[in-house]
Amino acid sequence: MATATETGRQETAALASPAPAIELRGISKAFGPVQANKDISIRVEKGTVHGIIGENGAGKSTLMSILYGFYKADAGEIFIGGKETLIPDSQAAISAGIGMVFQHFKLVENFTVLENVVLGAEEGFRLTPSLRKARKLLTELAAEYELNVDPDALIEDLSVGHRQRVEILKALYRKADILILDEPTGVLTPAEADHLFRILEGLRDAGKTIILITHKLREIMDITDTVSVMRRGEMTATVKTSETSPEHLAELMVGRKVLLRVDKKPAQLGKEILKVENLRVVDEQGVERLKGIGFNIRAGEILGIAGVSGNGQSELLEVLGGYAEATGKVSLHGEELDLSGAESDAQSRRLKGIAHVPEDRHEEGLILNFHAWENMVFGYQNDPKYNKNKILMDNKAIWDETQAKMDRFDVRPPNPRLNAANFSGGNQQKIVLAREIERNPELLLIGQPTRGVDIGAIEFIHQQIVELRDQGKAILLVSVELEEVLSLADRIVVMFDGQIMGERLSSETDERELGMLMAGMKQGADA
Ligand code: ADP
Ligand code: MG
């Protein structure tokens, strides 16, 4: 609690400048041994967009959960509009004028937009008068902030971008003056993200205060007025956006200088390595996930697959990696692969020289409760070099190899005996990459190479991929991060609804054009 002198100081400060919308003082929160927030203090001025940036696990969501009453801080105070406010639950946060737009929307699928907006906002469930009032308000908000959504549409029929608008409407309907958005663009197409930013700017100009949490430097530079940086549970800096740069922010996030651009020479293309023709996949529900796609990749080339998550990219990786069956034709070096028979499994693919860094490393890439050294041969355990006496595996050989790979890939800590689960996301990814890349494959399939990975490790992972390309290997890169595809790939194929919407050379396209293809607008983009 504030002491008398602190309160006095605060009142003096209040005379000098208007009270901030939010002020947090000395917030700390631990989860067991993990200190998620350490003595965090921050001021968020009224009528601004305040960004909070930090790597995965920096403590951003925890801090916002405290502000929204989901978690109780171990220490610290919250001031709203200059007044100390206790926020024991989210009802208290809403009463204090705080609204939260969640990463995973909390809408009722088979209710309409209108019903969702009203739901829970009223004391009792006086639906009819509430609905009339809400409909009017929705119309007004739609006009004012470009928040157009059909009030009578069912949530389940809406796109992700529209669902997010409903979340914003819900908060505004509850009279939120302060809006918190936690990683809001992760699920959006570039055009939807742009639209969201216009909405946020409109809200800010109308005097609302916005807290935008993201790990994307570009979004911070685009839309925020002020940015605070978190690193390992601490608030390391708060700066005016106009007075900083992406490079500076990256350095503050990671604690050292980081190369943000991928450094690569023009591709030296060799012969065709992979050829895919008329590839079709039907899932267990009978839905066609890949609708007859085709493309090729040459030696020394990185082919990027861009697209909003869920448009067939995962199925493509699974088929090529030997985890799912398909029809059509796939050839490696002109030799046709078995897509649905005895040899359509992951082991056979690896033996043919196709390495695979799966999208979901927890499900397919690692066995979390096995040691790092065991994981280092996962998928390759039948390789003769580990099975010298044909009965027991040669653990010494595997161990030595693991140590060497850990060194080369800078896995931290470099301890082969640690369980895979005990490494951070970035280091887990490095273990999988080390295993797959060091096989010197002809073709590397790589899904979401930097998902959940911090900026420092991203730089390293990108360098390894480019190095493999420059050794004349073929690489298929699938990523929902458009920036990553644009900077890494030599050529880009855009997928939408199980089809290929277009193909571009990276050097001859941009985010806008790819974004239109990602949204399924072929005509617009080609015109
Ligand atoms: P960010 O949002 O910046 O990625 P989080 O606030 O989600 O970071 O997490 C900060 C740290 O706290 C991480 O190490 C995370 O594993 C840990 N953490 C977060 N929530 C919980 C929880 N409910 N239980 C245990 N640990 C948690
Ligand atoms: Mg988070």
Side-chain angles (χ1 to χ4, degrees):
M1 297 297 109
T3 63
T5 33
E6 272 170 351
T7 314
R9 227 185 289 138
Q10 194 228 335
E11 277 162 9
T12 323
L15 292 177
S17 61
I22 298 170
E23 185 178 1
L24 303 179
R25 288 194 202 161
I27 299 280
S28 291
K29 174 75 184 171
F31 296 105
V34 178
Q35 192 69 45
N37 285 168
K38 293 180 207 164
D39 193 19
I40 291 186
S41 297
I42 178 180
R43 283 170 64 107
V44 177
E45 305 300 338
K46 277 188 184 147
T48 63
V49 178
H50 194 120
I52 296 185
I53 195 163
E55 298 184 331
N56 261 289
K60 308 178 296 290
S61 294
T62 300
L63 189 65
M64 291 305 117
S65 298
I66 289 169
L67 185 53
Y68 198 64
F70 275 146
Y71 294 146
K72 186 180 178 306
D74 300 334
E77 293 111 46
I78 299 173
F79 294 79
I80 307 290
K83 276 211 305 283
E84 180 164 5
T85 309
L86 294 178
I87 307 185
D89 51 35
S90 35
Q91 204 51 52
I94 292 166
S95 305
I98 302 172
M100 180 114 162
V101 176
F102 293 93
Q103 233 163 350
H104 303 286
F105 308 137
K106 299 194 188 284
L107 301 171
V108 185
E109 293 266 321
N110 55 353
F111 275 30
T112 66
V113 169
L114 202 54
E115 287 163 345
N116 267 280
V117 166
V118 171
L119 197 66
E122 303 299 318
E123 303 274 299
F125 204 74
R126 293 169 291 120
L127 206 53
T128 317
S130 304
L131 287 180
R132 207 177 305 126
K133 197 173 99 191
R135 185 184 293 276
K136 181 162 172 288
L137 190 71
L138 244 58
T139 319
E140 287 165 14
L141 290 169
E144 199 172 347
Y145 302 119
E146 296 188 55
L147 276 162
N148 311 309
V149 273
D150 174 6
D152 299 313
L154 289 177
I155 296 296
E156 62 193 9
D157 295 333
L158 295 183
S159 71
V160 174
H162 280 86
R163 288 178 196 212
Q164 196 173 52
R165 285 181 218 168
V166 178
E167 285 277 1
I168 296 174
L169 283 168
K170 226 177 133 170
L172 295 175
Y173 185 74
R174 284 160 182 67
K175 304 197 167 44
D177 275 326
I178 300 163
L179 212 56
I180 305 169
L181 295 101
D182 192 348
E183 307 267 5
T185 61
V187 288
L188 302 181
T189 64
E192 285 173 330
D194 279 350
H195 190 124
L196 171 68
F197 286 172
R198 282 208 306 280
I199 292 169
L200 295 184
E201 279 165 354
L203 290 166
R204 181 214 19 222
D205 295 345
K208 307 265 183 206
T209 306
I210 316 272
I211 300 185
L212 174 73
I213 301 178
T214 177
H215 63 276
K216 296 182 184 170
L217 292 163
R218 164 158 324 178
E219 295 178 355
I220 290 289
M221 298 310 294
D222 271 1
I223 185 169
T224 66
D225 301 297
T226 310
V227 49
S228 295
V229 184
M230 289 189 73
R231 181 166 83 231
R232 294 187 189 159
E234 292 179 76
M235 193 65 84
T236 52
T238 294
V239 291
K240 280 212 165 65
T241 309
S242 58
E243 292 170 4
T244 186
S245 65
E247 289 75 16
H248 183 223
L249 288 175
E251 198 177 333
L252 288 170
M253 280 165 72
V254 184
R256 65 173 175 84
K257 282 213 184 305
V258 181
L259 184 66
L260 288 178
R261 296 208 63 80
V262 178
D263 219 0
K264 68 185 206 306
K265 302 189 293 272
Q268 298 293 319
L269 298 184
K271 58 186 188 320
E272 184 178 86
I273 302 280
L274 181 78
K275 188 171 178 68
V276 172
E277 295 161 89
N278 195 26
L279 194 65
R280 285 177 194 277
V281 171
V282 178
D283 72 10
E284 283 157 6
Q285 282 77 42
V287 179
E288 207 176 18
R289 294 291 173 184
L290 288 181
K291 302 178 176 173
I293 66 170
F295 59 87
N296 73 345
I297 313 179
R298 292 168 65 181
E301 182 178 41
I302 302 176
L303 179 75
I305 307 275
V308 178
S309 164
N311 279 285
Q313 307 96 307
S314 304
E315 287 80 3
L316 174 62
L317 279 179
E318 282 170 8
V319 166
L320 295 177
Y323 290 95
E325 296 188 349
T327 62
K329 191 172 165 191
V330 176
S331 328
L332 188 73
H333 284 306
E335 187 200 332
E336 197 172 334
L337 298 179
D338 179 4
L339 292 182
S340 58
E343 285 195 12
S344 71
D345 58 71
Q347 186 106 358
S348 309
R349 292 296 150 75
R350 288 195 159 102
L351 287 176
K352 288 195 186 309
I354 301 180
H356 186 186
V357 178
E359 285 186 297
D360 186 341
R361 49 188 171 265
H362 289 170
E363 286 295 320
E364 291 170 353
L366 291 165
I367 309 178
L368 289 175
N369 56 351
F370 276 43
H371 293 157
W373 68 275
E374 294 164 314
N375 272 288
M376 209 51 109
V377 290
F378 176 42
Y380 299 97
Q381 58 272 32
N382 294 338
D383 187 323
K385 77 172 166 175
Y386 305 131
N387 296 273
K388 286 207 184 91
N389 65 12
K390 307 239 188 282
I391 300 166
L392 292 170
M393 292 188 75
D394 185 350
N395 290 349
K396 170 89 173 56
I398 301 173
W399 182 279
D400 291 347
E401 198 179 300
T402 301
Q403 197 87 67
K405 286 182 185 176
M406 284 183 129
D407 283 350
R408 206 174 93 68
F409 277 75
D410 191 24
V411 175
R412 288 181 220 178
N415 179 359
R417 208 190 293 281
L418 219 52
N419 279 352
N422 294 336
F423 291 88
S424 71
N427 284 294
Q428 289 177 344
Q429 182 72 324
K430 286 190 205 166
I431 292 173
V432 180
L433 273 168
R435 180 181 72 213
E436 301 297 332
I437 286 185
E438 298 271 285
R439 294 278 141 184
N440 203 17
E442 286 307 305
L443 170 68
L444 174 68
L445 309 172
I446 184 161
Q448 319 302 343
T450 54
R451 177 182 282 168
V453 170
D454 49 61
I455 299 190
I458 289 176
E459 175 189 16
F460 177 83
I461 289 169
H462 284 173
Q463 281 164 357
Q464 299 310 308
I465 295 173
V466 170
E467 217 169 272
L468 198 67
R469 171 195 88 152
D470 291 343
Q471 289 162 19
K473 309 301 181 180
I475 293 157
L476 180 72
L477 163 78
V478 171
S479 173
V480 291
E481 301 280 350
L482 190 49
E483 246 185 288
E484 175 165 57
V485 175
L486 257 173
S487 58
L488 261 187
D490 301 302
R491 192 156 52 91
I492 299 172
V493 155
V494 182
M495 285 186 67
F496 175 77
D497 192 26
Q499 290 167 297
I500 288 180
M501 293 302 291
E503 186 186 314
R504 300 285 186 276
L505 289 175
S506 308
S507 53
E508 293 172 4
T509 187
D510 55 25
E511 289 212 4
R512 206 193 63 85
E513 185 184 37
L514 294 173
M516 283 170 78
L517 291 167
M518 284 165 68
M521 290 184 284
K522 196 171 188 163
Q523 256 59 43
D526 279 338

